[in-house]
Amino acid sequence: MTGGRPAVDRERLRRLPKAELHCHLDGSLRPATMLALAAERSVAMPRPDAEALAAFMEVTDAKNLEDYLARFAVTLSVMQDPAAIARVAEELVLDAAADGVRLLEVRFAPFLSTQQGMTSDEVMAAWLAGMQRGERATGTVARAIVCALRHAPVSQSIAMAELAVAWKGRGVVAFDLAGGEAGHPASAHKAAFDVARRADLAITCHAGEAWGPASVREALLDCGAHRIGHGTRLIEDASLLQYVNDRRIPVEVCLTSNVQTRATPAFAAHPARTFFKRGVVLSLNTDNRLMSGVTLTEEYARAAEHLRFSVADLCVIARQSFESAFTPWEERRALLDAVLPEIDAVRDAR
Ligand SMILES: [Zn+2]
């Protein structure tokens, strides 16, 4: 024990096979790559070296989710051509693989990279090509979730849903709605969700992060979400939490990000432990490796340190993270067959 907290073996948690289901492409760049891309493209960066840029990009002073989201303008400034998109996508898979991630679902709103003339289809092609390179190099399965953004017009969300449908089966596994939650209800984007639903595409939705359980209710009932991104404030609605648990709807937990955006006042106050004890299906996720300054291994370690998850508990979450993926079931089944003995071995290691 250190300072009253259990000592955590991070190398053991790194070895634990994990699936990461909630990770934003534009929030997960390497600082050194941002500087290299910026230099090649004559784009200004707010800090001149990788260490200072990493510190600048890690959000430690956000008052709310909107403050947190403001950092994304910096990453997007170097994500406006196919070579840059492919590079950051490949590197994310490499970094995740080194972190013990064996299945990675990366999300992004491609229209954000059309500021200098790329089409959304060109963004998709570069994004998927980069992830395929990473997958070939590491064996970590990487799939894409196309995002729409709450504060954008519904016509833009419909365009993103149509893009997701067009690329379904070629690496895209789901559609998501992200962005500032307060004042931008998911129900306003129902027409976009309907496009995805009619094409049998899986759906997740950021909800219950910056707005209360009513947002989760909309995501589930109006938008047809199969998973919930964050879901932190589900804790405020016992009936809805029971519904989520009974229906086995997976909740994509992002501990560090929730502390940063003040969705929860502190790690130890996060409801993830309560959710787990109730039997809710959970995954742990970084949300944004750059803005949160974390790896997935570190998220698992913080769950142990602050919320008293045992290694056995974390092994349950690791298994649930694979089971909850949107990657087609046959692929998931094959991955589960491969990783379950490894998860058991990490659990039983002394
Ligand atoms: Zn997110």
Side-chain angles (χ1 to χ4, degrees):
M1 302 280 280
T2 50
R5 292 188 192 139
V8 175
D9 180 351
R10 282 171 169 72
E11 175 55 24
R12 188 176 178 191
L13 295 178
R14 191 194 66 77
R15 283 202 317 275
L16 176 64
K18 299 174 285 295
E20 183 165 17
L21 309 182
H22 191 130
C23 180
H24 293 262
L25 180 65
D26 49 341
S28 304
L29 280 65
R30 295 176 182 171
T33 297
M34 293 170 68
L35 292 168
L37 293 173
E40 290 164 12
R41 290 156 180 77
S42 301
V43 172
M45 279 286 119
R47 296 291 183 275
D49 63 82
E51 197 178 334
L53 185 59
F56 176 83
M57 293 301 296
E58 184 177 342
V59 181
T60 54
D61 55 353
K63 289 188 279 302
N64 51 37
L65 178 61
E66 283 70 20
D67 250 17
Y68 180 91
L69 295 176
R71 295 294 205 292
F72 287 80
V74 181
T75 53
L76 287 167
S77 72
V78 290
M79 292 176 65
Q80 299 299 327
D81 60 90
I85 297 278
R87 177 171 172 180
V88 299
E90 179 183 6
E91 288 179 353
L92 175 52
V93 180
L94 300 181
D95 293 348
D99 192 17
V101 175
R102 305 281 282 272
L103 171 58
L104 176 65
E105 293 183 354
V106 179
R107 59 187 73 194
F108 183 51
F111 78 88
L112 295 172
S113 287
T114 60
Q115 296 166 14
Q116 292 173 15
M118 257 199 300
T119 66
S120 288
D121 278 302
E122 288 167 341
V123 177
M124 284 306 315
W127 173 13
L128 292 171
M131 291 210 300
Q132 283 162 9
R133 288 208 300 261
E135 183 170 332
R136 278 197 299 274
T138 62
T140 289
V141 174
R143 297 293 179 263
I145 297 175
V146 173
C147 291
L149 296 181
R150 285 173 181 265
H151 52 269
V154 65
S155 58
Q156 185 63 266
S157 300
I158 291 171
M160 289 301 99
E162 288 171 342
L163 185 74
V165 169
W167 288 82
K168 180 189 167 207
R170 293 189 282 164
V172 170
V173 293
F175 176 67
D176 170 44
L177 184 67
E181 195 176 352
H184 299 288
S187 55
H189 299 266
K190 183 176 182 302
F193 285 102
D194 287 345
V195 168
R197 293 163 88 176
R198 279 197 293 269
D200 307 323
L201 200 59
I203 289 169
T204 183
C205 184
H206 284 67
E209 179 187 16
W211 189 25
S215 179
V216 179
R217 198 174 284 279
E218 280 199 356
L220 292 170
L221 304 183
D222 295 333
C223 308
H226 303 103
R227 294 195 318 232
I228 294 295
H230 298 286
T232 317
R233 294 184 61 184
L234 260 176
I235 196 71
E236 298 167 27
D237 186 330
S239 173
L240 191 63
L241 178 57
Q242 188 71 50
Y243 177 87
V244 165
N245 199 10
D246 291 348
R247 302 276 71 75
R248 315 306 293 147
I249 296 162
V251 176
E252 305 160 359
V253 171
C254 308
L255 295 175
T256 303
S257 167
N258 281 177
V259 172
Q260 289 175 305
T261 64
R262 305 185 185 230
T264 190
F267 284 103
H270 198 284
R273 183 76 200 157
T274 304
F275 293 166
F276 183 77
K277 279 174 42 190
R278 293 280 297 275
V280 177
V281 179
L282 301 181
S283 58
L284 292 176
N285 306 276
T286 62
D287 205 7
N288 298 287
R289 286 162 178 263
L290 177 65
M291 283 71 166
S292 292
V294 283
T295 60
L296 190 56
T297 297
E298 184 60 28
E299 292 287 344
Y300 275 66
R302 290 177 185 183
E305 286 176 340
H306 298 279
L307 292 163
R308 301 197 174 272
F309 281 85
S310 67
V311 170
D313 295 338
L314 294 173
C315 288
V316 170
I317 289 181
R319 174 173 54 76
Q320 290 180 339
S321 68
F322 285 95
E323 290 170 345
S324 305
F326 286 143
T327 305
W329 175 248
E330 294 85 345
E331 273 187 85
R332 253 184 291 164
R333 184 68 260 168
L335 262 169
L336 276 161
D337 286 344
V339 301
L340 285 179
E342 295 181 51
I343 291 175
D344 288 347
V346 168
R347 183 194 60 204
D348 297 337
R350 295 183 60 85

